[in-house]
Amino acid sequence: SMKERKGLLLSVGTPSILLVLLVFVLSVFALLSIRASANEQKLADKTAKSVKEYYAADAKAEYALGYIDSVLESAKISNLKTELLNMKNSNEENLKGLKDLKVTIKSSGDFQAKKTQEVVAEVSFAFPVKEKETLCVALQVLADRTYKITEWKVSMEELGEYDSNYDVELWDGQVDVEE
């Protein structure tokens, strides 16, 4: 009879529709999770690259400290600046990229054997990390042939100068109603 047939259609149609919806929903979730994992992979790769670039610059800066150590073993304060500035002319692979090397002598005396905190020179230098980042290092050379690191940080390069002549009209909070 007709009533039996209608019940049969309903009992076959509803599960089919539910199954189609379920497959659709699961497909959408699968696509979303694949996309999310691809984004996570991109982020992980970018982070790994950044870390690698930082530690490459960090290793060069450590090598530069070794160079400074070797100069401090034998130099006199009178020729310290010349000896340290020679680092720029070094053909060492580990010093490639060295920039902004500055040496300022702060004392006319000479090195002492006893432990002291007297600053005889200030040295600063930098190594590029990536396009707009630089590892900047600054240290104070003490009179006992040791040094104290005063700065070891990554800084962003300037993105250009701010033009103060550029006027922007800001909203003053008042609504002007024209009549």
Side-chain angles (χ1 to χ4, degrees):
S1 81
M2 192 70 170
K3 215 168 206 174
E4 272 178 37
R5 204 174 206 176
K6 196 169 187 178
L8 187 67
L9 273 176
L10 193 64
S11 65
V12 171
T14 306
S16 299
I17 290 172
L18 286 176
L19 187 65
V20 167
L21 281 174
L22 184 66
V23 167
F24 176 74
V25 167
L26 289 175
S27 299
V28 167
F29 280 125
L31 285 172
L32 288 174
S33 61
I34 287 171
R35 188 166 180 164
S37 66
N39 288 339
E40 289 290 327
Q41 183 64 49
K42 268 191 217 155
L43 183 63
D45 292 344
K46 195 174 176 182
T47 302
K49 185 174 182 259
S50 286
V51 168
K52 190 176 175 189
E53 289 167 335
Y54 170 79
Y55 281 108
D58 184 74
K60 287 183 174 193
E62 288 288 351
Y63 190 88
L65 289 182
Y67 186 100
I68 292 169
D69 272 332
S70 65
V71 167
L72 288 177
E73 281 175 21
S74 57
K76 294 183 170 5
I77 290 180
S78 55
N79 68 346
L80 183 65
K81 184 169 187 167
T82 311
E83 294 274 332
L84 288 175
L85 288 176
N86 278 339
M87 192 165 34
K88 275 195 293 203
N89 309 325
S90 171
N91 291 329
E92 282 288 337
E93 188 61 38
N94 291 323
L95 291 174
K96 291 252 186 300
L98 174 73
K99 61 183 196 174
D100 303 334
L101 176 62
K102 290 186 193 76
V103 180
T104 311
I105 303 298
K106 297 280 188 186
S107 167
S108 57
D110 214 337
F111 289 111
Q112 302 159 19
K114 67 181 193 309
K115 191 112 178 88
T116 175
Q117 291 295 305
E118 183 197 343
V119 177
V120 295
E122 289 178 346
V123 181
S124 63
F125 57 88
F127 283 97
V129 176
K130 53 183 164 195
E131 195 179 330
K132 294 203 181 307
E133 286 181 17
T134 306
L135 176 62
C136 301
V137 179
L139 51 102
Q140 295 176 326
V141 177
L142 305 178
D144 60 359
R145 294 185 187 276
T146 61
Y147 56 79
K148 183 168 55 180
I149 296 171
T150 55
E151 179 181 79
W152 190 286
K153 70 175 185 183
V154 174
S155 69
M156 301 294 285
E157 289 176 22
E158 304 305 313
L159 296 173
E161 294 302 310
Y162 170 71
D163 183 6
S164 59
N165 295 330
Y166 182 70
D167 284 332
V168 178
E169 202 157 306
L170 298 175
W171 182 52
D172 60 4
Q174 299 297 314
V175 179
D176 299 326
V177 179
E178 296 196 16
E179 310 205 0

